[in-house]
Coordinates of all heavy atoms in Angstrom, one line a residue:
M1 N 144.5 -45.2 -147.9 CA 145.9 -45.4 -147.4 C 146.8 -44.4 -148.1 O 147.8 -44.0 -147.4 CB 146.2 -46.9 -147.7 CG 147.6 -47.2 -147.4 SD 147.8 -47.1 -145.6 CE 149.5 -47.5 -145.4
R2 N 146.7 -44.2 -149.4 CA 147.6 -43.3 -150.1 C 147.5 -41.9 -149.5 O 148.5 -41.2 -149.4 CB 147.2 -43.3 -151.5 CG 148.4 -42.8 -152.4 CD 148.1 -43.0 -153.8 NE 146.9 -42.2 -154.2 CZ 146.7 -41.7 -155.4 NH1 147.4 -42.1 -156.4 NH2 145.6 -41.0 -155.7
D3 N 146.3 -41.4 -149.2 CA 146.2 -40.1 -148.6 C 146.9 -40.0 -147.2 O 147.5 -39.0 -146.9 CB 144.7 -39.7 -148.4 CG 144.0 -39.6 -149.7 OD1 144.6 -39.2 -150.7 OD2 142.8 -39.8 -149.8
A4 N 146.8 -41.0 -146.4 CA 147.5 -41.1 -145.1 C 149.0 -41.0 -145.3 O 149.7 -40.3 -144.6 CB 147.1 -42.3 -144.4
R5 N 149.5 -41.7 -146.3 CA 150.9 -41.6 -146.6 C 151.4 -40.2 -146.9 O 152.4 -39.8 -146.5 CB 151.3 -42.6 -147.7 CG 152.8 -42.7 -147.9 CD 153.2 -43.8 -148.8 NE 152.7 -45.1 -148.4 CZ 153.3 -45.9 -147.5 NH1 154.5 -45.5 -147.0 NH2 152.9 -47.1 -147.2
G6 N 150.6 -39.5 -147.7 CA 150.9 -38.2 -148.1 C 150.9 -37.2 -146.9 O 151.8 -36.4 -146.8
V7 N 149.9 -37.4 -146.0 CA 149.9 -36.6 -144.8 C 151.1 -36.9 -143.9 O 151.7 -36.0 -143.4 CB 148.6 -36.9 -144.0 CG1 148.6 -36.3 -142.6 CG2 147.4 -36.4 -144.8
L8 N 151.4 -38.2 -143.8 CA 152.6 -38.5 -143.0 C 153.9 -38.0 -143.6 O 154.8 -37.5 -142.9 CB 152.7 -40.0 -142.8 CG 151.6 -40.7 -142.0 CD1 151.7 -42.2 -142.0 CD2 151.6 -40.1 -140.6
D9 N 154.0 -38.0 -144.9 CA 155.2 -37.5 -145.6 C 155.3 -36.0 -145.3 O 156.4 -35.5 -145.0 CB 155.2 -37.7 -147.1 CG 155.4 -39.2 -147.4 OD1 156.0 -39.9 -146.5 OD2 155.0 -39.6 -148.5
R10 N 154.2 -35.2 -145.4 CA 154.2 -33.8 -145.1 C 154.5 -33.5 -143.7 O 155.3 -32.6 -143.4 CB 152.9 -33.2 -145.5 CG 152.8 -32.8 -146.9 CD 151.6 -32.0 -147.2 NE 150.7 -32.9 -148.0 CZ 149.4 -33.1 -147.8 NH1 148.8 -32.4 -147.0 NH2 148.8 -33.9 -148.6
L11 N 154.0 -34.3 -142.8 CA 154.3 -34.1 -141.4 C 155.7 -34.4 -141.0 O 156.3 -33.7 -140.2 CB 153.4 -35.0 -140.5 CG 151.9 -34.6 -140.4 CD1 151.1 -35.7 -139.7 CD2 151.7 -33.2 -139.8
A12 N 156.3 -35.3 -141.7 CA 157.7 -35.7 -141.4 C 158.7 -34.6 -141.9 O 159.8 -34.4 -141.3 CB 158.1 -37.0 -142.2
R13 N 158.2 -33.7 -142.8 CA 159.1 -32.7 -143.3 C 159.0 -31.4 -142.5 O 159.8 -30.5 -142.6 CB 158.7 -32.3 -144.7 CG 159.1 -33.4 -145.7 CD 159.0 -32.9 -147.2 NE 157.6 -32.4 -147.4 CZ 156.8 -33.1 -148.2 NH1 157.2 -34.2 -148.8 NH2 155.6 -32.6 -148.4
L14 N 158.1 -31.3 -141.5 CA 157.9 -30.1 -140.7 C 159.0 -30.0 -139.7 O 159.5 -31.0 -139.2 CB 156.6 -30.2 -140.0 CG 155.3 -30.0 -140.9 CD1 154.1 -30.2 -140.0 CD2 155.3 -28.7 -141.6
N15 N 159.3 -28.8 -139.3 CA 160.3 -28.5 -138.3 C 159.7 -28.9 -136.9 O 158.7 -28.3 -136.5 CB 160.7 -27.1 -138.3 CG 161.8 -26.7 -137.3 OD1 162.1 -27.5 -136.4 ND2 162.3 -25.5 -137.4
R16 N 160.3 -29.9 -136.3 CA 159.7 -30.4 -135.0 C 159.7 -29.3 -133.9 O 158.8 -29.3 -133.1 CB 160.5 -31.6 -134.5 CG 160.3 -32.8 -135.4 CD 161.1 -34.0 -134.9 NE 160.9 -35.1 -135.9 CZ 161.5 -36.2 -135.8 NH1 162.3 -36.5 -134.7 NH2 161.3 -37.2 -136.7
T17 N 160.7 -28.5 -133.8 CA 160.8 -27.5 -132.8 C 159.7 -26.5 -133.1 O 159.0 -26.0 -132.2 CB 162.1 -26.8 -132.8 OG1 163.2 -27.7 -132.6 CG2 162.2 -25.7 -131.7
G18 N 159.5 -26.1 -134.3 CA 158.4 -25.2 -134.7 C 157.0 -25.7 -134.4 O 156.2 -25.0 -133.9
V19 N 156.8 -27.0 -134.7 CA 155.5 -27.6 -134.4 C 155.3 -27.6 -132.9 O 154.2 -27.3 -132.4 CB 155.4 -29.0 -135.0 CG1 154.2 -29.8 -134.5 CG2 155.5 -29.0 -136.5
F20 N 156.3 -28.0 -132.1 CA 156.2 -28.0 -130.6 C 155.9 -26.6 -130.1 O 155.0 -26.5 -129.3 CB 157.5 -28.6 -130.0 CG 157.5 -28.5 -128.5 CD1 156.8 -29.4 -127.8 CD2 158.2 -27.5 -127.8 CE1 156.7 -29.4 -126.4 CE2 158.2 -27.5 -126.5 CZ 157.5 -28.4 -125.7
L21 N 156.6 -25.6 -130.5 CA 156.4 -24.3 -130.0 C 155.0 -23.8 -130.4 O 154.3 -23.1 -129.6 CB 157.5 -23.4 -130.5 CG 158.9 -23.6 -129.9 CD1 159.9 -22.7 -130.5 CD2 158.8 -23.4 -128.4
G22 N 154.6 -24.0 -131.6 CA 153.3 -23.6 -132.1 C 152.2 -24.3 -131.2 O 151.2 -23.6 -130.9
T23 N 152.4 -25.6 -130.9 CA 151.4 -26.3 -130.1 C 151.3 -25.7 -128.7 O 150.3 -25.5 -128.1 CB 151.7 -27.8 -130.1 OG1 151.8 -28.3 -131.4 CG2 150.7 -28.5 -129.3
V24 N 152.5 -25.4 -128.1 CA 152.6 -24.8 -126.8 C 151.9 -23.5 -126.8 O 151.1 -23.1 -125.9 CB 154.0 -24.7 -126.3 CG1 154.1 -23.8 -125.0 CG2 154.6 -26.1 -126.0
I25 N 152.1 -22.7 -127.8 CA 151.4 -21.4 -127.9 C 149.9 -21.5 -128.0 O 149.2 -20.8 -127.3 CB 152.0 -20.6 -129.1 CG1 153.4 -20.1 -128.8 CG2 151.1 -19.4 -129.4 CD1 154.2 -19.6 -130.0
L26 N 149.4 -22.5 -128.8 CA 148.0 -22.7 -128.9 C 147.4 -23.2 -127.6 O 146.3 -22.7 -127.2 CB 147.7 -23.7 -130.0 CG 147.8 -23.2 -131.4 CD1 147.6 -24.3 -132.4 CD2 146.8 -22.1 -131.7
V27 N 148.1 -24.1 -126.9 CA 147.5 -24.5 -125.6 C 147.5 -23.4 -124.6 O 146.5 -23.2 -123.9 CB 148.4 -25.7 -125.1 CG1 148.0 -26.0 -123.6 CG2 148.2 -26.9 -125.9
L28 N 148.6 -22.6 -124.5 CA 148.6 -21.5 -123.6 C 147.5 -20.4 -124.0 O 146.8 -19.9 -123.1 CB 149.9 -20.8 -123.6 CG 151.0 -21.6 -122.9 CD1 152.4 -20.9 -123.0 CD2 150.7 -21.9 -121.4
A29 N 147.3 -20.2 -125.2 CA 146.3 -19.3 -125.7 C 144.9 -19.8 -125.3 O 144.1 -19.1 -124.8 CB 146.3 -19.0 -127.2
G30 N 144.7 -21.1 -125.5 CA 143.4 -21.7 -125.1 C 143.1 -21.6 -123.6 O 142.0 -21.4 -123.2
L31 N 144.2 -21.8 -122.8 CA 144.0 -21.7 -121.4 C 143.9 -20.3 -120.9 O 143.2 -20.1 -119.9 CB 145.2 -22.4 -120.7 CG 145.3 -23.9 -120.9 CD1 146.6 -24.5 -120.3 CD2 144.1 -24.7 -120.3
L32 N 144.5 -19.4 -121.5 CA 144.5 -18.0 -121.0 C 143.3 -17.1 -121.6 O 142.9 -16.2 -121.0 CB 145.8 -17.3 -121.3 CG 147.0 -17.9 -120.6 CD1 148.3 -17.2 -121.0 CD2 146.9 -17.8 -119.1
L33 N 142.8 -17.5 -122.8 CA 141.7 -16.7 -123.3 C 140.5 -17.0 -122.5 O 140.3 -18.1 -122.1 CB 141.5 -17.1 -124.8 CG 142.5 -16.6 -125.8 CD1 142.3 -17.2 -127.2 CD2 142.4 -15.1 -125.9
P34 N 139.6 -16.0 -122.4 CA 138.4 -16.2 -121.5 C 137.4 -17.1 -122.2 O 137.1 -17.1 -123.4 CB 137.9 -14.8 -121.3 CG 138.4 -14.0 -122.5 CD 139.7 -14.7 -122.9
G35 N 136.7 -17.9 -121.3 CA 135.5 -18.6 -121.6 C 135.5 -19.4 -122.9 O 136.4 -20.2 -123.2
A36 N 134.4 -19.1 -123.7 CA 134.2 -19.9 -124.9 C 135.3 -19.7 -126.0 O 135.6 -20.7 -126.7 CB 132.9 -19.5 -125.6
T37 N 135.9 -18.6 -126.0 CA 137.0 -18.4 -127.0 C 138.2 -19.3 -126.7 O 138.7 -20.0 -127.6 CB 137.5 -16.9 -126.9 OG1 136.4 -16.0 -127.1 CG2 138.6 -16.6 -128.0
G38 N 138.6 -19.4 -125.5 CA 139.6 -20.4 -125.1 C 139.2 -21.8 -125.4 O 140.0 -22.6 -125.8
A39 N 138.0 -22.1 -125.1 CA 137.5 -23.5 -125.3 C 137.5 -23.8 -126.8 O 137.8 -25.0 -127.1 CB 136.1 -23.6 -124.7
V40 N 137.2 -22.9 -127.6 CA 137.2 -23.2 -129.1 C 138.6 -23.5 -129.5 O 138.8 -24.4 -130.3 CB 136.6 -22.0 -129.9 CG1 136.9 -22.1 -131.3 CG2 135.1 -21.9 -129.6
V41 N 139.6 -22.7 -129.0 CA 141.0 -23.0 -129.4 C 141.4 -24.4 -128.9 O 142.0 -25.1 -129.7 CB 141.9 -21.9 -128.8 CG1 143.3 -22.3 -129.0 CG2 141.6 -20.5 -129.4
L42 N 141.0 -24.7 -127.7 CA 141.4 -26.1 -127.2 C 140.7 -27.2 -127.9 O 141.3 -28.2 -128.2 CB 141.1 -26.1 -125.7 CG 141.9 -25.3 -124.8 CD1 141.4 -25.3 -123.3 CD2 143.4 -25.6 -124.9
L43 N 139.4 -27.0 -128.3 CA 138.7 -28.0 -129.0 C 139.2 -28.1 -130.5 O 139.3 -29.2 -131.0 CB 137.2 -27.6 -129.1 CG 136.4 -27.8 -127.7 CD1 135.0 -27.3 -127.8 CD2 136.5 -29.3 -127.3
A44 N 139.6 -27.0 -131.1 CA 140.2 -27.1 -132.4 C 141.6 -27.9 -132.3 O 141.8 -28.7 -133.2 CB 140.5 -25.7 -133.0
L45 N 142.3 -27.6 -131.3 CA 143.6 -28.4 -131.1 C 143.3 -29.8 -130.9 O 144.0 -30.7 -131.4 CB 144.4 -27.7 -130.0 CG 145.8 -28.2 -129.8 CD1 146.6 -27.9 -131.1 CD2 146.4 -27.4 -128.6
A46 N 142.3 -30.1 -130.1 CA 141.9 -31.5 -129.8 C 141.4 -32.2 -131.1 O 141.8 -33.4 -131.4 CB 140.8 -31.6 -128.8
A47 N 140.7 -31.5 -132.0 CA 140.3 -32.1 -133.2 C 141.5 -32.4 -134.1 O 141.5 -33.5 -134.8 CB 139.3 -31.1 -133.9
A48 N 142.4 -31.5 -134.2 CA 143.6 -31.8 -134.9 C 144.4 -33.0 -134.4 O 144.9 -33.8 -135.1 CB 144.5 -30.5 -134.9
L49 N 144.4 -33.1 -133.1 CA 145.1 -34.2 -132.4 C 144.4 -35.5 -132.7 O 145.0 -36.6 -133.0 CB 145.2 -34.0 -130.9 CG 145.9 -35.1 -130.1 CD1 147.4 -35.3 -130.7 CD2 146.0 -34.8 -128.7
I50 N 143.1 -35.5 -132.7 CA 142.3 -36.7 -133.1 C 142.6 -37.1 -134.5 O 142.8 -38.3 -134.8 CB 140.8 -36.5 -132.8 CG1 140.5 -36.4 -131.3 CG2 140.0 -37.5 -133.5 CD1 139.1 -35.9 -131.0
A51 N 142.6 -36.2 -135.4 CA 142.9 -36.5 -136.8 C 144.3 -37.1 -137.0 O 144.5 -38.1 -137.7 CB 142.8 -35.2 -137.7
L52 N 145.3 -36.5 -136.2 CA 146.6 -37.0 -136.3 C 146.7 -38.4 -135.7 O 147.4 -39.3 -136.2 CB 147.6 -36.1 -135.6 CG 149.0 -36.5 -135.5 CD1 149.6 -36.5 -137.0 CD2 149.8 -35.5 -134.7
L53 N 146.0 -38.7 -134.6 CA 146.0 -40.0 -134.0 C 145.4 -41.0 -134.9 O 145.9 -42.2 -135.0 CB 145.2 -40.0 -132.7 CG 145.9 -39.5 -131.4 CD1 144.9 -39.3 -130.3 CD2 147.0 -40.4 -131.1
R54 N 144.3 -40.7 -135.6 CA 143.7 -41.6 -136.5 C 144.7 -42.0 -137.6 O 144.7 -43.2 -138.1 CB 142.5 -41.0 -137.2 CG 141.3 -40.9 -136.2 CD 140.0 -40.5 -136.9 NE 139.6 -41.6 -137.7 CZ 138.9 -41.5 -138.8 NH1 138.6 -40.3 -139.3 NH2 138.5 -42.5 -139.5
V55 N 145.5 -41.1 -138.1 CA 146.4 -41.4 -139.2 C 147.6 -42.2 -138.7 O 148.1 -43.1 -139.4 CB 146.9 -40.1 -139.9 CG1 148.0 -40.4 -140.9 CG2 145.7 -39.4 -140.6
T56 N 148.1 -41.9 -137.5 CA 149.3 -42.5 -137.0 C 149.1 -43.7 -136.0 O 150.1 -44.2 -135.5 CB 150.2 -41.5 -136.4 OG1 149.5 -40.9 -135.3 CG2 150.6 -40.4 -137.4
W57 N 147.9 -44.0 -135.7 CA 147.6 -45.0 -134.7 C 148.3 -46.3 -134.8 O 148.9 -46.8 -133.9 CB 146.1 -45.3 -134.6 CG 145.6 -46.1 -133.5 CD1 145.4 -47.4 -133.5 CD2 145.4 -45.7 -132.2 NE1 145.0 -47.9 -132.3 CE2 145.0 -46.8 -131.4 CE3 145.5 -44.5 -131.5 CZ2 144.7 -46.8 -130.1 CZ3 145.2 -44.4 -130.1 CH2 144.8 -45.5 -129.5
R58 N 148.3 -46.9 -136.0 CA 148.9 -48.2 -136.1 C 150.5 -48.2 -136.1 O 151.1 -49.3 -136.1 CB 148.4 -48.9 -137.4 CG 148.8 -48.2 -138.7 CD 148.2 -48.9 -139.8 NE 148.5 -48.2 -141.1 CZ 148.6 -48.7 -142.2 NH1 148.5 -50.0 -142.3 NH2 148.9 -48.0 -143.3
Y59 N 151.1 -47.0 -136.2 CA 152.5 -47.0 -136.2 C 153.1 -46.8 -134.8 O 154.3 -46.8 -134.7 CB 153.0 -45.8 -137.0 CG 152.5 -45.9 -138.5 CD1 151.5 -45.1 -139.0 CD2 153.1 -46.8 -139.3 CE1 151.1 -45.2 -140.3 CE2 152.8 -46.9 -140.7 CZ 151.7 -46.1 -141.1 OH 151.3 -46.2 -142.4
H60 N 152.3 -46.8 -133.8 CA 152.8 -46.6 -132.4 C 152.5 -47.9 -131.6 O 151.5 -48.5 -131.8 CB 152.1 -45.4 -131.8 CG 152.4 -44.1 -132.5 ND1 153.7 -43.6 -132.6 CD2 151.6 -43.3 -133.2 CE1 153.7 -42.5 -133.3 NE2 152.4 -42.3 -133.7
D61 N 153.3 -48.1 -130.5 CA 153.0 -49.2 -129.6 C 152.0 -48.7 -128.6 O 151.6 -47.6 -128.5 CB 154.3 -49.7 -129.0 CG 155.0 -48.7 -128.1 OD1 154.5 -47.6 -127.9 OD2 156.1 -49.0 -127.6
R62 N 151.6 -49.6 -127.7 CA 150.6 -49.4 -126.7 C 150.9 -48.2 -125.7 O 150.0 -47.4 -125.4 CB 150.3 -50.6 -125.9 CG 149.6 -51.7 -126.7 CD 149.3 -52.8 -125.8 NE 148.6 -53.9 -126.6 CZ 148.5 -55.1 -126.2 NH1 149.0 -55.5 -125.1 NH2 147.8 -56.0 -127.0
R63 N 152.2 -48.1 -125.3 CA 152.5 -47.0 -124.4 C 152.4 -45.7 -125.0 O 151.8 -44.8 -124.4 CB 154.0 -47.2 -123.9 CG 154.1 -48.4 -123.0 CD 155.5 -48.6 -122.5 NE 156.4 -48.7 -123.7 CZ 157.7 -48.8 -123.7 NH1 158.3 -48.8 -122.6 NH2 158.4 -48.9 -124.9
I64 N 152.8 -45.5 -126.2 CA 152.7 -44.2 -126.9 C 151.3 -43.9 -127.1 O 150.8 -42.8 -127.0 CB 153.5 -44.2 -128.2 CG1 155.0 -44.5 -127.9 CG2 153.3 -42.9 -129.0 CD1 155.7 -43.4 -127.1
R65 N 150.5 -44.9 -127.5 CA 149.0 -44.7 -127.7 C 148.4 -44.2 -126.4 O 147.6 -43.3 -126.4 CB 148.4 -46.0 -128.2 CG 148.7 -46.4 -129.6 CD 148.1 -47.7 -129.9 NE 148.4 -48.1 -131.2 CZ 148.2 -49.3 -131.7 NH1 147.5 -50.2 -131.0 NH2 148.5 -49.7 -132.9
A66 N 148.7 -44.8 -125.3 CA 148.1 -44.5 -124.0 C 148.5 -43.0 -123.7 O 147.6 -42.3 -123.2 CB 148.6 -45.5 -123.0
I67 N 149.7 -42.7 -123.9 CA 150.2 -41.3 -123.6 C 149.4 -40.3 -124.4 O 148.9 -39.3 -123.9 CB 151.7 -41.2 -123.7 CG1 152.4 -42.0 -122.7 CG2 152.1 -39.7 -123.7 CD1 153.9 -42.1 -122.9
R68 N 149.3 -40.6 -125.7 CA 148.6 -39.6 -126.6 C 147.1 -39.5 -126.3 O 146.6 -38.4 -126.3 CB 148.9 -40.0 -128.0 CG 150.3 -39.8 -128.4 CD 150.6 -40.1 -129.8 NE 152.0 -39.8 -130.0 CZ 152.6 -39.6 -131.2 NH1 151.8 -39.6 -132.3 NH2 153.9 -39.4 -131.3
V69 N 146.5 -40.6 -125.9 CA 145.1 -40.6 -125.5 C 145.0 -39.8 -124.2 O 144.0 -39.0 -124.1 CB 144.5 -42.0 -125.5 CG1 143.1 -42.0 -124.8 CG2 144.4 -42.6 -126.8
A70 N 145.9 -40.0 -123.3 CA 145.8 -39.3 -122.0 C 145.9 -37.7 -122.3 O 145.2 -37.0 -121.7 CB 146.9 -39.7 -121.1
V71 N 146.8 -37.4 -123.1 CA 147.0 -35.9 -123.5 C 145.7 -35.4 -124.1 O 145.2 -34.3 -123.8 CB 148.2 -35.7 -124.4 CG1 148.2 -34.3 -125.0 CG2 149.5 -36.0 -123.6
L72 N 145.1 -36.2 -125.0 CA 143.8 -35.8 -125.6 C 142.7 -35.6 -124.6 O 142.0 -34.6 -124.6 CB 143.4 -36.8 -126.6 CG 142.1 -36.6 -127.3 CD1 142.1 -35.3 -128.1 CD2 141.8 -37.7 -128.3
V73 N 142.7 -36.5 -123.6 CA 141.6 -36.5 -122.6 C 141.8 -35.2 -121.7 O 140.9 -34.5 -121.4 CB 141.6 -37.7 -121.7 CG1 140.8 -37.6 -120.5 CG2 141.1 -38.9 -122.5
I74 N 143.1 -34.9 -121.4 CA 143.4 -33.7 -120.6 C 143.0 -32.5 -121.3 O 142.4 -31.5 -120.8 CB 144.9 -33.7 -120.1 CG1 145.2 -34.8 -119.1 CG2 145.3 -32.4 -119.6 CD1 146.6 -35.1 -118.9
L75 N 143.3 -32.4 -122.6 CA 143.0 -31.3 -123.4 C 141.4 -31.1 -123.5 O 140.9 -30.0 -123.4 CB 143.6 -31.5 -124.8 CG 143.6 -30.3 -125.8 CD1 144.4 -29.2 -125.2 CD2 144.2 -30.7 -127.1
L76 N 140.7 -32.2 -123.7 CA 139.3 -32.1 -123.7 C 138.7 -31.7 -122.4 O 137.7 -30.9 -122.3 CB 138.7 -33.4 -124.2 CG 138.9 -33.8 -125.7 CD1 138.5 -35.2 -126.0 CD2 138.2 -32.8 -126.6
L77 N 139.2 -32.2 -121.3 CA 138.8 -31.8 -120.0 C 139.0 -30.3 -119.7 O 138.1 -29.6 -119.1 CB 139.4 -32.6 -118.9 CG 139.0 -34.1 -118.8 CD1 139.9 -34.8 -117.8 CD2 137.5 -34.2 -118.4
A78 N 140.1 -29.8 -120.2 CA 140.4 -28.4 -120.0 C 139.4 -27.6 -120.8 O 138.9 -26.5 -120.4 CB 141.8 -28.1 -120.5
A79 N 139.0 -28.0 -122.0 CA 138.1 -27.3 -122.9 C 136.7 -27.3 -122.2 O 136.0 -26.3 -122.2 CB 138.0 -27.9 -124.3
V80 N 136.3 -28.5 -121.6 CA 135.0 -28.6 -121.0 C 135.0 -27.7 -119.7 O 134.0 -27.0 -119.4 CB 134.7 -30.0 -120.6 CG1 133.5 -30.1 -119.7 CG2 134.5 -30.8 -121.8
A81 N 136.1 -27.6 -119.0 CA 136.2 -26.7 -117.8 C 136.1 -25.3 -118.2 O 135.4 -24.5 -117.5 CB 137.5 -27.0 -117.1
K82 N 136.7 -24.9 -119.4 CA 136.5 -23.5 -119.9 C 135.1 -23.2 -120.2 O 134.6 -22.1 -120.0 CB 137.4 -23.3 -121.1 CG 138.9 -23.4 -120.9 CD 139.4 -22.2 -120.1 CE 139.6 -21.0 -121.1 NZ 140.2 -19.9 -120.4
I83 N 134.4 -24.1 -120.8 CA 133.0 -23.9 -121.2 C 132.1 -23.8 -119.9 O 131.2 -22.9 -119.9 CB 132.5 -25.1 -122.1 CG1 133.2 -25.0 -123.5 CG2 131.0 -25.0 -122.3 CD1 132.9 -26.2 -124.3
A84 N 132.4 -24.7 -118.9 CA 131.6 -24.7 -117.7 C 131.8 -23.5 -116.9 O 130.9 -23.1 -116.1 CB 131.9 -26.0 -117.0
A85 N 133.0 -22.9 -117.0 CA 133.3 -21.7 -116.1 C 132.6 -20.4 -116.5 O 132.1 -20.2 -117.5 CB 134.8 -21.5 -116.1

């Protein structure tokens, strides 16, 4: 629990605009890079999102959880599509 609090404290200090723009850049890079390279970027982003969801899960209500899981599923489907192509 103490480690999770430290992670949450560090995340709270980050610039939200910078985090958003960085995430958009990573998603676009993953979608635009060819084949396995793009898939690796998307899978790394999905892994980071899974880790973030595990730490913050109990702090969100059902609607927010559903939205975040939906985004994760879309990201994973995009990565699988990149691998399959």
Side-chain angles (χ1 to χ4, degrees):
M1 176 66 182
R2 197 173 66 156
D3 292 333
R5 186 173 302 275
V7 170
L8 293 176
D9 288 341
R10 272 188 253 139
L11 289 174
R13 289 191 302 252
L14 292 175
N15 180 349
R16 292 180 183 179
T17 304
V19 171
F20 174 77
L21 291 176
T23 304
V24 169
I25 289 169
L26 285 174
V27 169
L28 288 176
L31 293 174
L32 296 176
L33 286 171
T37 307
V40 167
V41 172
L42 292 175
L43 289 173
L45 192 56
L49 181 58
I50 289 169
L52 182 62
L53 278 173
R54 288 189 69 211
V55 172
T56 61
W57 186 260
R58 64 182 176 150
Y59 298 107
H60 300 294
D61 64 4
R62 288 183 180 163
R63 289 181 302 179
I64 299 298
R65 289 177 184 171
I67 291 169
R68 291 185 181 198
V69 169
V71 169
L72 177 62
V73 168
I74 291 168
L75 192 60
L76 289 172
L77 287 174
V80 169
K82 293 287 282 187
I83 293 171

